[in-house]
Amino acid sequence: MAMGAAAAASTCTRPASPGLARRRVRAQATSSWAGGAEALVRSGAVRAVRPRDAAEALGGEGFRLLDVRPEWERARASVRGSVHVPLFVGDDDMGPVTLLKKWVHLGYIGLWTGQAFTKMNERFVDDVAAAVDGSKDAKLLVACGEGLRSLIAVRMLHDDGYRNLAWLAGGFSKCADGDFADVEGESKLQYATIGGASYIFLQILLFLGVVK
């Protein structure tokens, strides 16, 4: 009986594989990034900028727009001259577990939204540093489609020592025509996150004049 209990205890306390442990830590860290960034915004350490006020921040105050959306969203619509460093990138892993996750993602999310299966860009902070020539004093207005990914990015950059950060509140989805003067791409900036079946539905609504 004692040996059985010892064996059970040994099984329970056996450490997880290094790969599994890293993924678990990364998932836990990612889930806390946004909450930590919200605290930074509430405290004033990071400034919240509404899309309608972005032009003043970019033109009058010298901020640079940092677009952290994945490439396929940016390809639909982007602000000319903005810095692009994706927070999430396509996951090209072809292992059985990842393939299963991709199938589930496609069925529940991908077909409707057009979003690809992604993983966090592990070089994100380094890529931002390269884009701003290593200056931690760079004034960056961080933006994404709906505001959540940019919150995560803001927290990561703040933890890395950046102190002149602003966050585009609500993301590009909250902007109106004219908030950003120089937009390029096939879509309106506020619709660039929408894809898949949702994009087809949006085109029907646009054609019928239900939305503009």
Side-chain angles (χ1 to χ4, degrees), residues 30 88 92 135 140 146 168:
T30 301
F88 291 94
D92 298 325
S135 174
L140 298 174
E146 297 177 344
L168 188 68

Side-chain angles (χ1 to χ4, degrees), residues 125 129 132-139 157 160-165:
V125 172
V132 299
D133 298 324
S135 174
K136 296 294 179 66
D137 294 324
K139 301 176 73 172
L157 293 172
D160 196 52
Y162 290 83
R163 290 297 179 268
N164 292 316
L165 296 171

Side-chain angles (χ1 to χ4, degrees), residues 26-71:
R26 187 180 302 135
Q28 292 171 346
T30 301
S31 67
S32 67
W33 287 121
E38 289 175 345
L40 291 173
V41 171
R42 287 195 300 270
S43 71
V46 172
R47 174 180 162 193
V49 175
R50 295 171 297 183
R52 68 187 184 189
D53 299 324
E56 173 59 26
L58 297 174
E61 301 178 42
F63 277 85
R64 299 175 67 184
L65 183 63
L66 174 60
D67 186 344
V68 301
R69 296 175 299 161
E71 180 58 45

Side-chain angles (χ1 to χ4, degrees), residues 10-194:
S10 175
T11 301
C12 291
T13 58
R14 184 179 298 132
S17 67
L20 178 60
R22 282 194 297 270
R23 288 193 295 272
R24 187 174 298 155
V25 169
R26 187 180 302 135
Q28 292 171 346
T30 301
S31 67
S32 67
W33 287 121
E38 289 175 345
L40 291 173
V41 171
R42 287 195 300 270
S43 71
V46 172
R47 174 180 162 193
V49 175
R50 295 171 297 183
R52 68 187 184 189
D53 299 324
E56 173 59 26
L58 297 174
E61 301 178 42
F63 277 85
R64 299 175 67 184
L65 183 63
L66 174 60
D67 186 344
V68 301
R69 296 175 299 161
E71 180 58 45
W72 50 90
E73 286 185 34
R74 182 176 169 86
R76 295 187 188 123
S78 63
V79 178
R80 191 185 303 274
S82 58
V83 178
H84 180 227
V85 180
L87 181 64
F88 291 94
V89 295
D91 191 339
D92 298 325
D93 180 28
M94 298 302 288
V97 174
T98 302
L99 286 175
L100 177 60
K101 290 179 179 179
K102 286 182 178 180
W103 276 107
V104 173
H105 170 86
L106 178 65
Y108 283 93
I109 300 173
L111 287 176
W112 178 249
T113 67
Q115 291 290 335
F117 190 74
T118 62
K119 62 181 179 181
M120 181 167 281
N121 177 9
E122 295 182 352
R123 289 190 48 81
F124 174 74
V125 172
D126 293 335
D127 290 344
V128 172
V132 299
D133 298 324
S135 174
K136 296 294 179 66
D137 294 324
K139 301 176 73 172
L140 298 174
L141 173 57
V142 187
C144 68
E146 297 177 344
L148 178 59
R149 291 166 296 184
S150 50
L151 272 177
I152 298 172
V154 159
R155 170 68 187 277
M156 294 174 69
L157 293 172
H158 188 273
D159 283 359
D160 196 52
Y162 290 83
R163 290 297 179 268
N164 292 316
L165 296 171
W167 168 64
L168 188 68
F172 292 126
S173 66
K174 299 299 184 184
C175 73
D177 294 348
D179 284 345
F180 294 90
D182 200 358
V183 177
E184 56 187 352
E186 64 183 17
S187 170
K188 288 188 176 184
L189 193 57
Q190 55 266 46
Y191 300 147
T193 301
I194 302 173

